[in-house]
């Protein structure tokens, strides 16, 4: 049970436009990068292999292959630093955390794709 | 005068202006009030006494009740004097609420608290000794011991202040140069970056950073 004052503080930092997705989904994160004075948007595209909970501290990990090298990046789900998260495809997976993908290469390292977006509550709040 | 008495509520993380998560300690200063003053004429020094935390009349003894009644101030559980110049003291009246907006975002502060009690602790916890480097080769029941504590016949004694097991914790510790991340006047909250000594619900004192003040002083002296 968290203190009411702490809950009050944390509530202010929750993003209202959080995209709903699950592990196994392919996403594109539009991350804002600051270069000196200028700000530009950089996309990071990959498979979500982990989601952690915890109010505004929730994070998710995106894994991709970059020139044959596996790259994983952890994003805070409620960070003001990303513009939007695009869900490219829904994955059909049997685990909540897909760390087994790290040991696989090529065709084996794929995730089955669900053709139709998941109906009802999940699709409704997805942007 | 700048200073507040507060209650450590706990820690969390917040996004700062750059959008990075920073760890913060939440301090409740909601019931901070001026309950008394020290004047150069009467006490030969100048200070403001702040009170914090509500308390029932029944718990106070007659002397304590008299102190609050005489000053016409509300009952408070914790009292602390903050030294001020006589000119500054004029701007404080007994009974005034002291608000969190005394401190501004980005300011450096020192926070004093009483550390968690750890009881009678061994040298590994208390002094960060390494302990035994091996668990095999005949080492037996000696994993967390301090080892030798001195030399031989010369000097034939153990030096004073030798780090040994003993009582650890319940010390007053001031953490210096913590940045004020956010101030919520309405809820009476001050958020400082980083950790503060003591358990949750412990009483802490917030003061402006003494080192920042000295740096400003040196800078002014150089500029002049």
């Amino acid at each position: 049970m968290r203190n009411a004052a702490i809950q009050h503080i944390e509530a202010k930092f929750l993003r209202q436009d959080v995209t709903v997705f699950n592990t196994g989904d392919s996403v594109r994160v539009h991350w804002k990068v600051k270069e000196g004075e200028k700000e530009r948007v950089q996309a990071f595209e990959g498979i979500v292999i982990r989601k952690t909970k915890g109010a505004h501290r929730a994070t998710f990990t995106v894994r991709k292959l970059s020139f044959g090298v596996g790259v994983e990046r952890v994003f805070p789900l409620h960070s003001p630093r990303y513009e939007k998260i695009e869900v490219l495809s829904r994955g059909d997976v049997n685990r909540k955390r897909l760390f087994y993908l790290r040991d696989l290469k090529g065709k084996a390292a794929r995730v089955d794709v669900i053709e139709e977006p998941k109906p009802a509550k999940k699709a409704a709040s997805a942007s | 005068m700048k200073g507040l008495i507060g209650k450590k509520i706990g820690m969390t993380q917040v996004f700062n202006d750059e959008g990075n998560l920073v760890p913060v300690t939440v301090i409740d200063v909601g019931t901070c009030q001026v309950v008394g003053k020290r004047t150069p004429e009467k006490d030969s020094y100048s200070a403001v006494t702040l009170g914090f935390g509500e308390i029932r009349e029944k718990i106070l003894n007659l002397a304590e009740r008299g102190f609050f009644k005489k000053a016409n101030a509300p009952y408070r559980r914790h009292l602390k004097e903050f030294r001020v110049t006589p000119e500054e003291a004029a701007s404080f009246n007994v009974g005034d609420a002291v608000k969190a907006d005394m401190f501004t975002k980005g300011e450096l502060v020192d926070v004093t608290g009483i550390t968690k009690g750890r009881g009678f602790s061994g040298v590994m916890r208390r002094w960060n000794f390494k302990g035994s480097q091996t668990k095999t080769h005949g080492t037996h029941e000696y994993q967390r011991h301090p080892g030798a504590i001195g030399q031989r016949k010369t000097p034939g004694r153990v030096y004073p202040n030798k780090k040994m097991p003993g009582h650890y914790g319940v010390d007053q510790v001031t953490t210096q140069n913590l940045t004020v991340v956010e101030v919520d006047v309405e809820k009476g909250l001050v958020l400082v970056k980083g950790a503060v000594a003591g358990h949750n619900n412990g009483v802490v004192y917030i003061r402006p950073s003494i080192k920042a003040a000295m740096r400003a002083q040196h800078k002014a002296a150089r500029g002049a």
Side-chain angles (χ1 to χ4, degrees):
Chain A
M1 174 63 215
R2 306 274 288 175
N3 181 283
I6 288 183
Q7 278 176 347
H8 164 77
I9 292 161
E10 291 179 347
K12 283 193 286 191
F13 291 97
L14 291 174
R15 259 181 97 129
Q16 299 304 316
D17 59 339
V18 169
T19 311
V20 175
F21 56 87
N22 281 315
T23 49
D25 296 355
S26 287
V27 294
R28 187 182 292 144
V29 183
H30 294 258
W31 191 253
K32 289 185 238 174
V33 183
K34 253 203 170 144
E35 285 171 338
E37 290 293 287
K38 267 190 178 170
E39 198 179 76
R40 65 185 182 83
V41 174
Q42 197 179 53
F44 191 92
E45 197 178 314
I47 299 173
V48 179
I49 63 165
R50 157 168 56 190
K51 282 184 84 180
T52 61
K53 293 182 181 178
H56 70 308
R57 298 179 305 280
T59 62
F60 60 97
T61 306
V62 182
R63 179 181 171 84
K64 73 166 182 183
L65 274 185
S66 176
F67 301 105
V69 181
V71 177
E72 285 179 19
R73 202 163 161 188
V74 184
F75 296 99
L77 190 59
H78 291 276
S79 171
R81 289 267 297 272
Y82 70 79
E83 210 170 72
K84 61 177 173 178
I85 300 170
E86 270 180 87
V87 180
L88 307 172
S89 67
R90 302 275 177 193
D92 184 11
V93 289
N94 292 327
R95 278 161 190 56
K96 210 171 163 214
R97 298 191 166 184
L98 311 179
F99 298 154
Y100 67 87
L101 288 178
R102 291 168 177 168
D103 301 327
L104 301 177
K105 276 181 192 168
K107 278 189 176 177
R110 289 174 306 179
V111 164
D112 287 346
V113 173
I114 303 170
E115 293 302 331
E116 290 288 305
K118 279 182 188 171
K121 58 180 182 180
K122 274 172 186 167
S125 48
S127 61
Chain B
M1 190 265 325
K2 265 180 145 182
L4 287 171
I5 312 174
K7 186 172 81 171
K8 174 174 167 180
I9 287 178
M11 289 191 75
T12 181
Q13 299 172 332
V14 298
F15 289 103
N16 64 6
D17 292 341
E18 283 90 54
N20 297 328
L21 265 182
V22 290
V24 294
T25 306
V26 183
I27 301 169
D28 177 12
V29 294
T31 53
C32 229
Q33 226 152 359
V34 180
V35 295
K37 273 172 150 187
R38 301 283 183 193
T39 55
E41 298 82 46
K42 207 175 161 201
D43 311 288
S44 70
Y45 68 98
S46 184
V48 171
T49 310
L50 295 188
F52 174 81
E54 278 153 13
I55 187 168
R56 278 172 294 142
E57 184 174 3
K58 200 180 155 191
I59 296 167
L60 296 169
N61 63 30
L62 283 175
E64 286 162 347
R65 278 181 220 175
F67 168 80
F68 290 109
K69 283 233 171 85
K70 195 173 166 192
N72 205 12
Y75 295 130
R76 286 289 179 262
R77 189 178 286 268
H78 305 283
L79 302 179
K80 174 88 177 163
E81 279 182 13
F82 291 90
R83 295 294 285 268
V84 295
T85 58
E87 298 84 64
E88 279 179 318
S91 62
F92 290 94
N93 297 314
V94 174
D96 280 0
V98 187
K99 295 266 174 60
D101 59 1
M102 180 177 277
F103 292 103
T104 50
K105 195 174 167 182
E107 201 177 339
L108 292 179
V109 292
D110 295 343
V111 182
T112 306
I114 306 287
T115 58
K116 284 179 185 172
R118 292 166 180 88
F120 193 100
S121 299
V123 286
M124 286 182 70
R125 182 182 293 278
R126 194 174 181 214
W127 300 111
N128 298 324
F129 280 21
K130 257 180 155 176
S132 172
Q133 297 308 292
T134 175
K135 284 184 176 175
T136 56
H137 299 298
T139 310
H140 175 54
E141 293 180 348
Y142 211 73
Q143 265 86 41
R144 298 182 64 89
H145 282 229
I149 58 168
Q151 297 79 26
R152 216 169 162 185
K153 197 172 181 186
T154 321
R157 63 191 171 91
V158 175
Y159 289 127
N161 304 325
K162 177 74 199 144
K163 290 171 180 173
M164 291 215 207
H167 181 262
Y168 181 40
V170 201
D171 299 317
Q172 178 171 305
V173 168
T174 304
T175 316
Q176 295 185 317
N177 292 329
L178 298 173
T179 314
V180 175
V181 176
E182 208 176 297
V183 173
D184 189 335
V185 181
E186 210 174 299
K187 293 252 171 190
L189 300 175
V190 177
L191 274 61
V192 295
K193 185 178 173 185
V196 164
H199 53 76
N200 290 351
N201 294 330
V203 172
V204 294
Y205 306 121
I206 314 174
R207 268 168 299 206
S209 164
I210 191 162
K211 281 184 177 167
M214 276 165 76
R215 275 197 290 271
Q217 220 172 20
H218 288 313
K219 207 176 173 184
R222 270 203 305 276

